[in-house]
Amino acid sequence: MTRRNRLWAGSLAALLVLAALGGTGTPAGAAGTCPNEAIREQQDSTALPDCRAWEMVSAADKNQNNVLDGLLSADGDRVFYGIYGGTDVSTTGSRAKFLATRTEAGWKTTNALPPQLAMLAGTYMIFATAPDLSGWIASAFDGVGGQDESPDASLIRLTSDGLQEPLHTFPTLFGQSGLEGVASADLSAVYATAPEAIDPSQRPGTYGLYEFGSGPPILVGRMPGTNRAPECGVNSESFEFASRETSSSLNWVSKDGSRVFFLSRGDAAPACTAPEQLYEYDRDADATTEISASPTGAGPDLGVDAFLQGAADGSWAYFETASSYEPADDADGNSSDGDVYRWSEGGGISCITCTVPNAEVLPVNYRTNIYTATASADGSHIYFLSRRQLADAPPSGPGEVLDLYVWSDDDVTFVARLSDERSIVTAMPGHGGDLTPDGNVLVFQSNQSELNTSTADNGGYFQYYRYDDRSGDIACLSCLPDGVPASAPVQVSLAESTLPVPPGLRVVTDGGDTVLFSTPESLVTDDVNAGVDLYEWHAGTVSLITDGVSHRSRATAPTLLTVSPDGRDVLFTDQARLTGDASDSAIKLYDARVGGGFLQPPAPAPTCSGDGACLGPVAPSPPALGAGSDGPGGAGNVAPKPHRHCKGNRRLVRHHGKSRCVSRHRHQGGAR
């Protein structure tokens, strides 16, 4: 049986299985067997799966300001994050940056930027970090849009121990974020596009691509066989996008920094209306290769729509184009269809999606972050969208449909029917974070009834699905248990971000057995707040990651930032006070960590000042003492005092603690 026939060989219900939704969590052993059970009981997190416990990563005292974002280091013990409004110890103002380091006593926060007197400018915009968060690259400047009296911009390399190394200073500021670019994993090579003609061959009004890692800037965006910049410059928008969203996952720059891909219209000056082509510069060879050379098919040269994925060492790359480079691409008579091609060093280019006719991969849009094709990190899988029915896609009714396909093992397989471009992976936080490195597991969204089964019904609303290419199985992650139709769509909460994502925002672990998502539906009985909560799907069981009881506004709903490759750490923001050291009502940064958490000391006694400052409620009167040994210990029972009697027409009265006998007439007259 071919892979094309695999998904539809059996009944649809057998393929769309949702296993055990509605459980209370991934089994962590018998009750009380977690090594951190005392911590979980203290913070009331015993319902969390996998022996997880909450840890507040952000500083406890942050002036009631909100955490913006967060990056997790490769080992999970460091987090780089920003606070809108800063804190009392911030070196910058509205968007302060911090580094949190995990210790045995908890997370400790330090300023990520130099002391204020040592800063080279008032604003530092971070656009690259090392995977271990030992350093980062920033664009530093004063003012916005060059309106300040000193609009100089500087490129700076910073380290976690407070050192800063200026790489280059520009006489003008480029936009509101300064320079943006990508860097090698160790930050030794820093690539950025600049409108300033640093090299004399760069034509005014165009962008040049330079390497700023060490010494004077080096022009690397060159035309093949020359040492000069293209007459039309390079595409700066693609690099800015790479910096903000995908600098690590797509490998625009090889991990060692020796190779860099870029897009350019070449020498088609002065109009520069020629289509863009894809190039790679090799620093070791000091040479540029034009990857998308002139088409060999019958159609016109339409250039490259988008760069999709590069190898970690830069030896291959996937790109999308409507140009035709193979006779198979022209066989259906549609030579201008969009297709995915692979380039490999020494092997040329070959069409991936041409294995089926009429593929027509929808174009990628950098500006709207809509990716209609995505490649796995190892290059083994390509997932793409098409409005045409390919491979073994089932017949559709009237109207246009959008189908998801996967290329693997030189074959194209139908995955699922979606609805529109927003359904594909980019609707999740962070392109590439919803696909495992080996490409075998993809998380996507759909609202199509074809995906409904007796145990999972999307109700016509967009829900999260997990596709496993090894078995062809599709599971609804966010559907209600027992086949109850969904009553609301999933909600994707994206954190306001001023940081890059070199470690990569992800929702699925490398093994594909754990997926994180948010939904307003109550999927387990512990979720009673009728609001958005964060969930974990693990091997068929869903469990709460947030508490399910805290009430929040839509603006302060929990937001997933990332899950570590092994699933140990789940980094998210939440307004709720989940730990004992969470003291404010602003948005905080948390880690739901396997075997984690910290015991909190008992609350200190209140500090009193002023009359009655610490007076609590009046204590009730002590109970009457019993006879004999029922009373307090001591030298036996206390002998009672003899009762005093007055003789004659006299009465006993008490005044100022003393008693005396007075005549009844005098007492009634008001004795004082």
Side-chain angles (χ1 to χ4, degrees):
M1 180 180 296
T2 66
R3 294 180 75 254
R4 297 184 191 179
N5 295 327
R6 185 182 60 202
L7 284 180
W8 295 94
S11 66
L12 182 63
L15 293 171
L16 306 180
V17 175
L18 177 63
L21 268 178
T24 58
T26 304
T33 60
C34 291
N36 58 341
E37 196 65 18
I39 298 172
R40 285 157 50 87
E41 290 178 355
Q42 185 186 64
Q43 60 182 220
D44 196 19
S45 62
T46 54
L48 294 183
D50 316 310
C51 291
R52 294 188 187 273
W54 296 308
E55 298 178 358
M56 190 173 74
V57 176
S58 52
D61 185 7
K62 50 189 179 63
N63 290 346
Q64 296 284 335
N65 290 320
N66 292 327
V67 171
L68 291 175
D69 41 31
L71 299 177
L72 185 68
S73 65
D75 63 3
D77 289 338
R78 284 185 168 192
V79 174
F80 193 66
Y81 70 97
I83 295 179
Y84 189 85
T87 71
D88 291 339
V89 297
S90 300
T91 57
T92 59
S94 62
R95 292 170 182 256
K97 308 296 190 302
F98 300 92
L99 179 67
T101 303
R102 193 177 189 274
T103 71
E104 292 183 356
W107 288 86
K108 304 300 181 185
T109 288
T110 57
N111 282 309
L113 301 180
Q116 194 165 15
L117 293 178
M119 294 181 68
L120 302 181
T123 300
Y124 279 52
M125 299 296 290
I126 309 296
F127 68 76
T129 68
D132 62 357
L133 298 184
S134 61
W136 34 92
I137 306 295
S139 178
F141 55 91
D142 289 309
V144 174
Q147 300 174 359
D148 193 90
E149 294 181 359
S150 301
D152 292 358
S154 297
L155 202 59
I156 302 173
R157 182 161 43 217
L158 302 142
T159 62
S160 58
D161 54 7
L163 299 179
Q164 60 176 338
E165 176 188 0
L167 300 178
H168 192 73
T169 300
F170 304 88
T172 57
L173 169 63
F174 311 131
Q176 297 185 7
S177 300
L179 237 62
E180 295 180 280
V182 290
S184 59
D186 62 359
L187 305 185
S188 62
V190 181
Y191 294 90
T193 57
E196 164 124 18
I198 301 173
D199 187 279
S201 69
Q202 181 182 337
R203 190 165 63 88
T206 65
Y207 278 81
L209 176 61
Y210 295 89
E211 198 273 303
F212 297 96
S214 59
I218 301 173
L219 178 70
V220 297
R222 306 175 188 174
M223 288 300 292
T226 74
N227 289 320
R228 62 175 178 80
E231 285 289 313
C232 297
V234 300
N235 184 330
S236 64
E237 185 180 67
S238 61
F239 246 74
E240 292 173 0
F241 173 79
S243 171
R244 290 192 299 268
E245 305 292 342
T246 58
S247 54
S248 174
S249 60
L250 298 190
N251 294 327
W252 282 84
V253 173
S254 61
K255 297 300 184 185
D256 65 358
S258 65
R259 301 187 181 201
V260 57
F261 295 97
F262 63 93
L263 294 167
S264 174
R265 297 186 187 276
D267 287 338
C272 289
T273 57
E276 285 187 329
Q277 306 296 338
L278 179 63
Y279 300 84
E280 184 190 50
Y281 172 76
D282 186 334
R283 184 181 61 191
D284 295 338
D286 193 25
T288 300
T289 299
E290 183 179 6
I291 292 175
S292 54
S294 299
T296 58
D301 184 357
L302 300 176
V304 171
D305 289 331
F307 172 83
L308 297 179
Q309 181 75 47
D313 63 358
S315 62
W316 55 259
Y318 286 103
F319 62 95
E320 184 182 339
T321 177
S323 298
S324 176
Y325 291 89
E326 283 190 2
D329 193 8
D330 301 324
D332 58 6
N334 297 304
S335 59
S336 298
D337 291 345
D339 282 292
V340 175
Y341 280 82
R342 175 187 171 104
W343 167 84
S344 59
E345 187 177 22
I349 60 177
S350 58
C351 186
I352 297 302
T353 54
C354 295
T355 54
V356 293
N358 296 306
E360 194 184 25
V361 180
L362 294 178
V364 169
N365 191 325
Y366 285 125
R367 295 180 181 87
T368 58
N369 194 23
I370 292 178
Y371 257 70
T372 53
T374 184
S376 60
D378 66 358
S380 64
H381 290 67
I382 302 286
Y383 289 86
F384 65 94
L385 292 177
S386 181
R387 295 196 182 279
R388 296 178 179 174
Q389 293 173 233
L390 312 174
D392 292 333
S396 64
E400 197 172 53
V401 297
L402 183 70
D403 289 337
L404 173 64
Y405 299 89
V406 58
W407 169 88
S408 180
D409 299 329
D410 293 324
D411 198 5
V412 171
T413 302
F414 171 76
V415 175
R417 180 148 291 157
L418 308 184
S419 179
D420 57 49
E421 291 90 1
R422 293 174 301 170
S423 308
I424 192 58
V425 286
T426 49
M428 302 292 284
H431 170 66
D434 27 41
L435 178 64
T436 55
D438 61 10
N440 284 320
V441 173
L442 174 77
V443 177
F444 65 93
Q445 294 183 50
S446 178
N447 65 350
Q448 296 300 289
S449 60
E450 291 95 332
L451 293 173
N452 291 337
T453 70
S454 60
T455 58
D457 189 336
N458 59 40
Y461 296 102
F462 278 100
Q463 302 298 324
Y464 291 132
Y465 291 87
R466 175 187 180 273
Y467 169 73
D468 192 325
D469 190 52
R470 293 160 296 193
S471 63
D473 291 340
I474 297 177
C476 183
L477 308 179
S478 55
C479 290
L480 290 167
D482 302 325
V484 176
S487 60
V490 292
Q491 295 182 11
V492 179
S493 299
L494 297 179
E496 180 184 359
S497 180
T498 61
L499 300 175
V501 292
L505 297 180
R506 64 172 67 226
V507 301
V508 59
T509 56
D510 279 359
D513 60 343
T514 300
V515 181
L516 278 298
F517 63 93
S518 58
T519 178
E521 300 273 30
S522 296
L523 304 184
V524 297
T525 55
D526 291 333
D527 188 352
V528 296
N529 58 11
V532 175
D533 277 287
L534 183 61
Y535 280 87
E536 172 193 278
W537 179 96
H538 179 81
T541 300
V542 292
S543 311
L544 270 170
I545 292 297
T546 47
D547 63 3
V549 297
S550 296
H551 293 275
R552 319 165 184 88
S553 67
R554 183 174 183 179
T556 58
T559 299
L560 173 67
L561 298 180
T562 193
V563 58
S564 59
D566 60 0
R568 184 191 66 178
D569 301 275
V570 176
L571 197 66
F572 65 100
T573 59
D574 196 351
Q575 183 186 32
R577 300 182 184 183
L578 302 179
T579 59
D581 53 347
S583 58
D584 65 20
S585 298
I587 296 175
K588 295 164 281 290
L589 181 61
Y590 291 101
D591 180 6
R593 187 180 179 107
V594 174
F598 304 99
L599 277 174
Q600 298 296 320
T607 302
C608 305
S609 61
D611 293 340
C614 287
L615 290 179
V618 178
S621 300
L625 296 179
S629 60
D630 288 341
N637 293 333
V638 179
K641 292 183 179 181
H643 185 68
R644 183 174 180 180
H645 297 277
C646 297
K647 298 180 180 180
N649 190 24
R650 300 173 73 83
R651 182 181 177 86
L652 183 69
V653 297
R654 296 180 181 275
H655 188 60
H656 296 300
K658 296 181 180 180
S659 60
R660 58 176 175 159
C661 295
V662 299
S663 66
R664 292 184 182 276
H665 175 74
R666 182 181 177 184
H667 172 66
Q668 292 171 355
R672 298 183 184 180

